[in-house]
Amino acid sequence: MTTVTKWALGVAVLVVAVLVAVLTTRGGSKDAPAATGDLAGVRAKAALQACPPPSPGPAVAQLSGIQADCLGDGSRVDVGKILAGGPTLVNVWASWCVPCRTELPVLQSYAAEPGAVRIIGVQTASPAADGLGLLQQLGVHLPAVYDGPGDTGPIRTALKVPNLPASYLVTPDGQVRFISSPRTFDSTDQVRAAVKDFS
């Protein structure tokens, strides 16, 4: 190996090392949480409502025993138990879902109305930090659970979610009913009508 070849190889190795160091330190902005790191800051900014406490009655059979993290505080909850005990609108969404961005604020407005049934969101198929950031951006503070970053989360699988967004009404007797019309809520009137029709 000639001196020139050795020198060129040394320079190439040095350039690669510098690039790796730069890319590692620039992996994200200083405000973005690590992919698996602490979400406390972004949770505080999102200011979600707490997940409901578990019902003392029987769990919703279709979701019985499924454990998930409460998106607002990271606590572990039994989904079948927190959905039991009264009518609940369950809305499954992802941070990348464009119609979800329209629907989530409608659900927030509906939840503020007198007589509204409680609403619990299920974030799926997207990182928790992205979901929290979206909710903060939209001004949506509904309680939500996290179904994981993949598209085969246990809640999504149990509900047989066709595509996103998807809404279900859990009736007081624990039945889970898919709301097929409308598929995406554009107004609080639609939410009220769906809740009435599926109750």
Side-chain angles (χ1 to χ4, degrees), residues 144-195:
V145 295
Y146 183 56
D147 197 34
D151 59 3
T152 57
I155 301 171
R156 190 173 180 182
T157 300
L159 293 176
K160 299 179 173 66
V161 175
N163 50 28
L164 300 177
S167 292
Y168 299 80
L169 186 74
V170 179
T171 63
D173 63 353
Q175 300 298 309
V176 180
R177 300 182 176 171
F178 174 60
I179 300 173
S180 59
S181 180
R183 284 290 285 116
T184 304
F185 295 119
D186 295 320
S187 70
T188 56
D189 290 340
Q190 290 178 331
V191 183
R192 276 195 304 275
V195 168

Side-chain angles (χ1 to χ4, degrees), residues 88-177:
T88 305
L89 180 66
V90 177
N91 180 254
V92 186
W93 58 276
S95 61
W96 47 259
C97 165
V98 174
C100 301
R101 293 169 180 259
T102 301
E103 184 173 68
L104 285 164
V106 171
L107 293 173
Q108 177 70 55
S109 295
Y110 165 77
E113 294 182 353
V117 303
R118 67 181 175 173
I119 298 177
I120 296 179
V122 176
Q123 184 197 348
T124 189
S126 50
D130 292 355
L132 288 162
L134 174 65
L135 295 175
Q136 178 195 354
Q137 176 188 344
L138 297 175
V140 173
H141 306 289
L142 298 169
V145 295
Y146 183 56
D147 197 34
D151 59 3
T152 57
I155 301 171
R156 190 173 180 182
T157 300
L159 293 176
K160 299 179 173 66
V161 175
N163 50 28
L164 300 177
S167 292
Y168 299 80
L169 186 74
V170 179
T171 63
D173 63 353
Q175 300 298 309
V176 180
R177 300 182 176 171

Side-chain angles (χ1 to χ4, degrees), residues 75-87:
S75 62
R76 199 78 172 150
V77 296
D78 183 315
V79 178
K81 289 225 174 255
I82 67 168
L83 294 178

